[in-house]
């Protein structure tokens, strides 16, 4: 017998089979998917939805102009969503670029203090951020070698925004690790000094 209760599927055997000792009675451990384990499921859905929308539009559309417009919109929505919302909510990281008065560019990388990222959120976030430019890279390879250079332009735009997020968040993560190491070292030094 199998029954569905509160997001879990439980399996049990009839009492006659169990009493005969032919099959041991065990309940299956509850299984949940990553989205159900996510602390921010709506953010996770949008993190994946715009990516899938752009990729599926590229795969299944034939009219170049309409496809170009839809893909550019989806990629722009994805870039903004990942940069401003899902990175902050799902992994506690954020990045942006400030242009100073003298015209120089300053990249700012920020990580939330005491942010214990949910492992499901982290998996969803990093899989999306890393796999997305890789998939566009495969499409670029196919477009170039099949001499579809107009499609390659669309792919290069999509890939550039995806790679910008990947590089930005990779630098954020690296900076967050350094920040954490600095905080630990400072805490150890303060503890050692207080005992002297």
């Amino acid at each position: 017998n199998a029954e569905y209760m509160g997001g879990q599927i439980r399996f049990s055997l009839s009492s006659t089979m169990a009493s005969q000792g032919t099959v041991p009675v065990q309940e299956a451990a509850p299984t949940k998917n990553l989205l159900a384990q996510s602390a921010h499921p709506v953010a996770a859905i949008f993190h994946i939805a715009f990516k899938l929308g752009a990729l599926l539009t590229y795969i299944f559309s034939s009219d170049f102009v309409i496809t170009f417009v839809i893909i550019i919109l989806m990629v722009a929505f994805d870039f903004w969503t990942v940069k401003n919302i899902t990175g902050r909510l799902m992994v506690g990281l954020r990045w942006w670029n400030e242009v100073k008065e003298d015209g120089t560019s300053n990249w700012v990388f920020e990580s939330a203090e005491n942010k214990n990222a949910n492992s499901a959120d982290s998996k969803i976030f990093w899989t999306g951020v890393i796999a997305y430019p890789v998939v566009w890279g495969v499409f670029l390879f196919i477009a170039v070698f099949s001499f579809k250079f107009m499609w390659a332009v669309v792919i290069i735009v999509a890939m550039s925004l995806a790679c910008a997020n990947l590089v930005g968040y990779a630098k954020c993560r690296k900076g967050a690790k350094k920040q954490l190491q600095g905080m630990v070292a400072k805490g150890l030094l303060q503890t050692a000094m207080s005992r002297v």
Side-chain angles (χ1 to χ4, degrees), residues 108-151:
V108 180
F109 304 101
E110 182 179 272
S111 63
E113 291 183 25
N114 301 325
K115 171 70 177 174
N116 293 327
N118 178 307
S119 66
D121 283 342
S122 185
K123 286 177 188 174
I124 293 169
F125 180 81
W126 288 109
T127 300
V129 167
I130 293 168
Y132 193 50
V134 171
V135 173
W136 281 119
V138 170
F139 288 152
L140 180 63
F141 182 80
I142 293 168
V144 167
F145 284 102
S146 54
F147 302 105
K148 296 180 180 177
F149 298 113
M150 287 189 350
W151 290 105

Side-chain angles (χ1 to χ4, degrees), residues 10 14 39 53 61 66 84 111 121 134 144 148 152 156 165 170 178:
R10 296 178 184 240
S14 67
S61 294
I66 292 172
N84 294 308
S111 63
D121 283 342
V134 171
V144 167
K148 296 180 180 177
I156 289 169
N165 265 334
K178 284 183 182 178

Side-chain angles (χ1 to χ4, degrees), residues 33-64:
N33 62 19
L34 283 178
L35 193 58
Q37 295 174 357
S38 173
H40 304 285
V42 174
I45 288 170
F46 280 102
H47 183 72
I48 301 300
F50 291 127
K51 290 171 177 53
L52 274 177
L55 293 171
L56 292 175
T57 301
Y58 177 77
I59 292 169
F60 294 114
S61 294
S62 59
D63 182 16
F64 178 77

Side-chain angles (χ1 to χ4, degrees), residues 71-133:
I71 289 174
I72 296 303
L73 287 173
M74 294 295 249
V75 169
F77 292 154
D78 176 68
F79 177 80
W80 185 87
T81 303
V82 171
K83 185 180 163 310
N84 294 308
I85 298 172
T86 61
R88 184 176 46 85
L89 289 177
M90 297 175 78
V91 291
L93 300 173
R94 198 166 68 148
W95 66 271
W96 66 91
N97 185 347
E98 294 176 344
V99 179
K100 296 180 181 178
E101 288 183 17
D102 63 356
T104 59
S105 181
N106 182 38
W107 289 88
V108 180
F109 304 101
E110 182 179 272
S111 63
E113 291 183 25
N114 301 325
K115 171 70 177 174
N116 293 327
N118 178 307
S119 66
D121 283 342
S122 185
K123 286 177 188 174
I124 293 169
F125 180 81
W126 288 109
T127 300
V129 167
I130 293 168
Y132 193 50

